[in-house]
Amino acid sequence: MRLPYLYTLYLVLFAAGFASAQNVRKTTSFNAGWKFFLGNDSTANAIKYDDSRWRKLDLPHDWSIEGKFDSKNPTTQAEGGLPAGIGWYRKNFLIPASSKAKTILIDFDGVFHNSEVWINGHYLGKRPNGYISFRYDLTPYLQFGTQQNVIAVRVDNSDQPNSRWYTGSGIYRNVWLITVNKIHLPQWSSFITTPQVNPQKAEINIRTVLPGSINSKYKLKASILDDQAKVVGSVIIPITDTVIQQNIRVSNPQLWSVKRPYLYKVKLQLIAGDKVIDDYTTTTGIRYFNFDADKGFSLNGEPMKILGVCLHHDQGALGTAVNTRAIERQLQLLKEMGCNAIRTSHNPPAPELLDLCDKMGFLVMDESFDMWKKKKSKHDYHEDWDEWHVKDLQDQVLRDRNHPSVFAWSIGNEIREQFDSTGVSIGRELVKIVKQLDNTRPVTSALSDADPKKNFIYQSGALDLVGLNYHQEVYADFQKNYPGQKFIGTENMSALATRGHYDMPSDSIRRWPKDGKTPLKDGNADFTVSSYDNVSAYWGSTHEETWKIIKKHDFLSGFFVWTGFDYIGEPTPYLWPARSSYFGIVDLAGFPKDVYYMYQSEWTTKPVLHLLPHWNWKPGQTIDVWAYYNNADEVEAFLNGKSIGVRKKTGDDLHVMWRVKYEPGVLKAVSRRNGEVVMTTQVVTAGEPYKIQLKADRDKINADSKDLSYITVSVLDKNNVPVPDANQLVKFKVTGQGILKGVDNGSQTDLDPFVSDQHHLFNGLGLAIIQSKSVAGKITVSANADGLQPARLVIQAKR
Ligand code: GAL
């Protein structure tokens, strides 16, 4: 087949009649006004079914997070012990008579899992994979005008256990209704690449695959818009084949980078005569990158380390129901730490995560699977592998390949086939699927066997990058063991910590569980783990141990810390009641653990001086004081005004330490460069708990029933000193134009529900998540606890 290939130089077209101000294609949210029933009823797909008693709700929705933690739930502790089961959703809707000649499509961004969909009693299909986006054509079965339509969705998450982490249950991502003309651009039909980029010009290539019905009667116009929506180049060509290639040159291109994530838009218009009959806009970015076996990674020609974290998809107390602000908050916290990359462990992410990474400047390793044919949990995706893996992988690549943030594909995490020869055949098959749809990005797999001779996925020869999980002890020898290969640390550390908990002495490293077995025999009776970055899973390392190695060698392109945030499920090393993970740099509620500041001191240039632990101990107790700092050559600490010594990091040190006899009062630290003070900080002994303090991360939010304000709750003494071990039960009341969406405290063992109007604090902190309603106005949040002065705070919801 010969491809029509039109090469257009600076062709800026404003052909009258072609440029339509309004979009022809209508994409509207289909989230509002659903009904939900938790349980099974095989007749609920019928048009006439009586759902009047069902609960009314808006999507996205995760029913598991509303349930009770219970070790007996079949999800097991691995999924946080929350309930799963079967749920039904129904929605009645009208389609205007004016749409009779249109095609009406429905897009589900993700349903966990085994969804089945009916429209007006007609079965549309099943999609087992809970992380994949899918579309149905509703047109043939719809009624128009005043006649009601009903869509029914059955979600079956009862096949437990089916995951090693919390998945959530339900239509947990967004749903869209798309109205297009009969002749329209198919889903994910264009692939946008930048084959040539230099500071003077960039070439943007748009390759569009069309069905035979879109023939030479039609033309395709592609326009590039800059971030001010100004057209900077466009091209229009007649459609003479099923594959259309359009090239547009952009002069003085603004490159996309993690520091300056400049975005362009590509607008495609399908034209018949002088009429636009469909249009579709995709965000893109102009950038190039390279992995080098000796020099590591570079973006736009500049060397840079990939400083990444792995993320699971839950949003703590909100469960897995997608909320853009919740994801944005996570990314903001990570950005402030200096993180520049996300690995979507171990599944296709929500589209909103990728949009935010494009916008905020994060690289993304987009991962497909946690297992292939061989299972990790009894009923996981291995059961769907044979029938679905080709389609699921294709759809993931097609959906995500236009995001500038996506820089690598991972075809699997710690896949069991790496240990036998099927790793070769399946590895090759999957890489081929990816490359057929995207040959611009490297493909890797997160390997847990670091022996190149024994690892069959590596032996397949199909991987562009050798992705290693853990085994940091062999990284220095990588070039010897994998000659000519390119390295990426796909998953590292698995260090463990409970925010605000400190066990001493701090200068010996523990591997938990020690003997590789749970229950942990020498753990803490209260299921805590010290947050002096001195405890890790036995297969991993502390944060400092691996970062020192990655930092040292240029050929180590970078890595992904397991994990950026704690997540629900997988509470290694403890048994119940531990129900969420200990691996995060930030806890489940979004409160940074101390090691956050180690990364910030290393990964950013902003001045850091962070002192730990808190200063409420028993008089005479020996306390290890640590400081993370940068931009300075020494730190001096003072206890109640008396110097306890000057410390300097030497060699590859990442912190300094003092061992002191505790006395209550003020512990102060001063960092200095060339004798000049850079920063000072202090921790102060708190007295008796006296009052509640509320602090909102944003005191103005949008009145769109989605936006969130995260309120940090703490307890202060009479002198406004935070009480580090406060654990009071705080009761919330929210009035006005907002609701209390969830509560948390970052504890890994708290079995009180996240959806509640009260919660205990944990190690001095609590969280209340407020969501706006659709009306502008004041939201008043009050907090009360026995024996404490109450607190009140007002948030404005704006239109
Ligand atoms: C890895 C695995 C992750 C997580 C982690 C915990 O082996 O890839 O999904 O389970 O261990 O340490």
Side-chain angles (χ1 to χ4, degrees):
M1 180 174 61
R2 285 189 58 211
L3 305 177
Y5 195 85
L6 195 105
Y7 197 84
T8 311
L9 297 178
Y10 298 96
L11 186 60
V12 182
L13 273 186
F14 290 101
F18 290 170
S20 97
Q22 273 196 344
N23 289 341
V24 177
R25 169 180 293 238
K26 298 266 175 283
T27 302
T28 49
S29 168
F30 204 60
N31 287 338
W34 287 75
K35 292 220 168 152
F36 173 68
F37 166 67
L38 182 57
N40 196 15
D41 183 341
S42 57
T43 62
N45 55 357
I47 305 183
K48 291 242 145 44
Y49 184 86
D50 178 10
D51 60 16
S52 56
R53 298 234 179 99
W54 287 19
R55 172 178 157 199
K56 287 187 189 148
L57 52 75
D58 294 339
L59 305 177
H61 173 238
D62 165 15
W63 80 67
S64 292
I65 205 68
E66 299 165 352
K68 287 204 170 80
F69 293 105
D70 190 336
S71 60
K72 289 190 210 73
N73 274 324
T75 49
T76 76
Q77 190 200 17
E79 295 177 53
L82 284 165
I86 295 175
W88 279 87
Y89 297 84
R90 284 169 62 94
K91 170 168 165 142
N92 284 288
F93 61 102
L94 297 175
I95 299 286
S98 58
S99 292
K100 252 188 186 157
K102 304 278 185 190
T103 291
I104 316 279
L105 307 160
I106 190 162
D107 278 1
F108 290 88
D109 287 349
V111 181
F112 207 95
H113 73 157
N114 284 321
S115 67
E116 290 181 276
V117 184
W118 291 261
I119 178 73
N120 294 333
H122 294 272
Y123 187 61
L124 291 170
K126 176 169 180 169
R127 196 67 185 236
N129 189 331
Y131 298 110
I132 208 76
S133 301
F134 54 94
R135 163 176 286 186
Y136 293 114
D137 184 354
L138 304 181
T139 323
Y141 318 105
L142 285 177
Q143 318 209 69
F144 296 86
T146 53
Q147 284 178 290
Q148 287 283 344
N149 295 286
V150 61
I151 188 160
V153 182
R154 179 181 191 268
V155 184
D156 186 349
N157 194 17
S158 65
D159 52 347
Q160 295 294 337
N162 63 32
S163 176
R164 302 186 300 112
W165 60 88
Y166 178 72
T167 62
S169 309
I171 310 181
Y172 73 106
R173 290 186 184 160
N174 289 303
V175 183
W176 307 95
L177 200 72
I178 296 126
T179 307
V180 278
N181 285 316
K182 288 272 176 277
I183 297 282
H184 58 267
L185 298 165
Q187 189 180 29
W188 307 323
S189 52
S190 293
F191 183 28
I192 300 158
T193 53
T194 48
Q196 270 186 39
V197 185
N198 65 46
Q200 284 75 41
K201 60 179 191 300
E203 190 181 297
I204 297 190
N205 176 268
I206 303 135
R207 182 180 189 273
T208 307
V209 180
L210 296 168
S213 53
I214 303 186
N215 50 31
S216 56
K217 286 200 292 210
Y218 305 93
K219 292 188 208 90
L220 190 64
K221 179 179 174 187
S223 313
I224 313 289
L225 284 72
D226 69 9
D227 69 350
Q228 302 301 306
K230 186 174 148 237
V231 178
V232 294
S234 81
V235 51
I236 178 167
I237 63 170
I239 294 167
T240 52
D241 207 332
T242 51
V243 180
I244 301 294
Q245 300 263 16
Q246 293 169 296
N247 269 26
I248 300 178
R249 235 176 236 185
V250 176
S251 50
N252 304 317
Q254 305 292 313
L255 300 193
W256 182 95
S257 70
V258 294
K259 288 198 194 116
R260 185 169 178 265
Y262 189 98
L263 295 174
Y264 289 90
K265 285 199 157 67
V266 174
K267 181 163 186 169
L268 283 178
Q269 292 171 303
L270 185 63
I271 293 162
D274 63 353
K275 253 183 101 176
V276 176
I277 59 165
D278 192 15
D279 44 19
Y280 185 78
T281 302
T282 310
T283 300
T284 191
I286 300 175
R287 46 92 179 124
Y288 61 97
F289 61 83
N290 185 46
F291 280 91
D292 184 279
D294 295 321
K295 293 192 220 131
F297 181 74
S298 64
L299 179 62
N300 302 327
E302 274 181 40
M304 110 179 208
K305 276 267 190 234
I306 296 157
L307 307 172
V309 299
C310 302
L311 287 181
H312 274 316
H313 65 306
D314 75 71
Q315 290 295 332
L318 303 179
T320 55
V322 161
N323 181 292
T324 305
R325 172 58 200 157
I327 305 173
E328 183 186 53
R329 171 183 179 249
Q330 282 198 325
L331 293 176
Q332 279 171 346
L333 280 158
L334 293 169
K335 190 95 199 170
E336 278 164 31
M337 186 179 87
C339 166
N340 62 24
I342 306 292
R343 170 179 178 230
T344 69
S345 42
H346 305 296
N347 46 262
E352 290 73 15
L353 175 86
L354 297 181
D355 291 342
L356 285 164
C357 288
D358 290 346
K359 205 166 91 182
M360 296 171 71
F362 285 92
L363 296 168
V364 175
M365 175 177 286
D366 200 339
E367 192 156 70
S368 315
F369 305 113
D370 190 43
M371 76 299 293
W372 295 348
K373 265 173 108 76
K374 291 193 174 149
K375 68 177 170 215
K376 289 187 180 169
S377 334
K378 192 165 179 211
H379 291 296
D380 64 25
Y381 184 77
H382 81 281
E383 294 183 343
D384 305 306
W385 180 261
D386 285 342
E387 195 181 340
W388 286 98
H389 74 275
V390 176
K391 171 99 179 123
D392 284 342
L393 183 57
Q394 283 173 337
D395 284 359
Q396 178 178 7
V397 176
L398 285 168
R399 190 197 69 169
D400 294 350
R401 65 186 175 168
N402 287 329
H403 286 277
S405 56
V406 175
F407 81 123
W409 304 104
S410 164
I411 52 171
N413 173 58
E414 299 192 350
I415 296 297
R416 291 179 56 200
E417 282 83 347
Q418 69 190 302
F419 305 110
D420 70 64
S421 62
T422 57
V424 174
S425 50
I426 304 179
R428 285 184 188 154
E429 182 210 353
L430 300 184
V431 173
K432 196 167 160 202
I433 293 169
V434 175
K435 297 278 175 180
Q436 276 167 351
L437 299 169
D438 177 13
N439 58 10
T440 70
R441 294 177 176 90
V443 181
T444 190
S445 183
L447 308 173
S448 48
D449 186 342
D451 182 343
K453 292 189 200 72
K454 290 199 191 132
N455 193 312
F456 286 91
I457 300 179
Y458 174 68
Q459 287 296 328
S460 75
L463 302 180
D464 301 306
L465 303 175
V466 178
L468 292 185
N469 283 11
Y470 309 98
H471 298 295
Q472 61 286 343
E473 66 283 354
V474 303
Y475 289 1
D477 290 334
F478 181 81
Q479 293 189 302
K480 202 166 76 204
N481 297 339
Y482 296 83
Q485 296 293 322
K486 297 160 188 171
F487 169 93
I488 177 89
T490 29
E491 186 178 311
N492 289 100
M493 279 72 164
S494 276
L496 303 161
T498 299
R499 175 192 48 78
H501 179 83
Y502 306 93
D503 292 330
M504 278 159 256
S506 64
D507 53 355
S508 61
I509 288 171
R510 288 178 231 178
R511 309 288 177 208
W512 277 358
K514 215 176 182 174
D515 54 1
K517 288 186 206 121
T518 44
L520 181 62
K521 294 197 182 90
D522 54 355
N524 293 341
D526 62 356
F527 297 82
T528 52
V529 178
S530 177
S531 63
Y532 276 114
D533 188 21
N534 63 345
V535 188
S536 85
Y538 72 89
W539 52 89
S541 79
T542 64
H543 293 279
E544 292 194 1
E545 285 174 308
T546 297
W547 169 233
K548 283 180 184 176
I549 298 167
I550 301 276
K551 188 179 169 182
K552 200 157 148 196
H553 304 284
D554 284 348
F555 59 86
L556 301 174
S557 63
F559 70 145
F560 292 88
V561 179
W562 188 266
T563 46
F565 280 68
D566 283 346
Y567 49 94
I568 304 171
E570 206 183 33
T572 306
Y574 289 116
L575 286 179
W576 198 263
R579 49 72 172 152
S580 56
S581 86
Y582 292 73
F583 297 118
I585 298 168
V586 181
D587 78 11
L588 196 69
F591 302 130
K593 302 178 189 174
D594 293 292
V595 79
Y596 178 94
Y597 301 97
M598 186 281 281
Y599 286 113
Q600 196 175 49
S601 71
E602 287 284 294
W603 292 359
T604 75
T605 50
K606 74 173 136 197
V608 174
L609 175 59
H610 178 77
L611 206 53
L612 63 143
H614 59 74
W615 211 240
N616 274 57
W617 302 95
K618 287 197 194 93
Q621 206 179 333
T622 302
I623 304 296
D624 288 350
V625 173
W626 286 33
Y628 295 124
Y629 70 94
N630 63 6
N631 299 358
D633 27 58
E634 61 179 36
V635 181
E636 185 166 9
F638 301 86
L639 181 53
N640 293 328
K642 275 186 264 124
S643 175
I644 56 167
V646 175
R647 297 285 185 274
K648 296 177 190 217
K649 291 192 264 192
T650 56
D652 61 0
D653 286 352
L654 297 171
H655 72 270
V656 289
M657 187 183 108
W658 298 259
R659 184 157 285 165
V660 284
K661 278 253 170 306
Y662 174 75
E663 56 181 68
V666 179
L667 177 74
K668 184 174 150 183
V670 179
S671 64
R672 298 189 200 100
R673 189 176 43 224
N674 301 327
E676 301 273 314
V677 172
V678 179
M679 288 187 83
T680 58
T681 190
Q682 62 183 33
V683 281
V684 179
T685 305
E688 287 304 304
Y690 177 68
K691 63 175 180 191
I692 302 176
Q693 175 180 260
L694 300 178
K695 271 193 186 159
D697 68 339
R698 290 154 76 233
D699 56 11
K700 287 189 192 70
I701 59 175
N702 297 320
D704 58 3
S705 344
K706 294 188 193 88
D707 206 2
L708 304 171
S709 182
Y710 282 83
I711 298 183
T712 302
V713 188
S714 48
V715 170
L716 308 180
D717 71 5
K718 274 208 159 130
N719 300 315
N720 293 324
V721 176
V723 180
D725 58 353
N727 61 0
Q728 283 81 356
L729 178 67
V730 178
K731 296 182 178 166
F732 300 99
K733 200 168 154 214
V734 178
T735 55
Q737 301 308 330
I739 59 163
L740 181 59
K741 191 69 187 166
V743 286
D744 193 5
N745 56 26
S747 157
Q748 289 115 347
T749 55
D750 191 327
L751 298 183
D752 288 343
F754 290 132
V755 182
S756 170
D757 57 4
Q758 58 176 41
H759 213 61
H760 284 94
L761 301 192
F762 173 69
N763 284 343
L765 294 176
L767 177 75
I769 308 171
I770 308 299
Q771 186 168 63
S772 62
K773 296 182 185 170
S774 57
V775 178
K778 268 191 197 169
I779 306 169
T780 305
V781 183
S782 338
N784 290 277
D786 284 351
L788 296 178
Q789 300 284 310
R792 204 166 149 268
L793 175 144
V794 175
I795 300 161
Q796 296 291 340
K798 302 244 173 206
R799 268 260 159 221

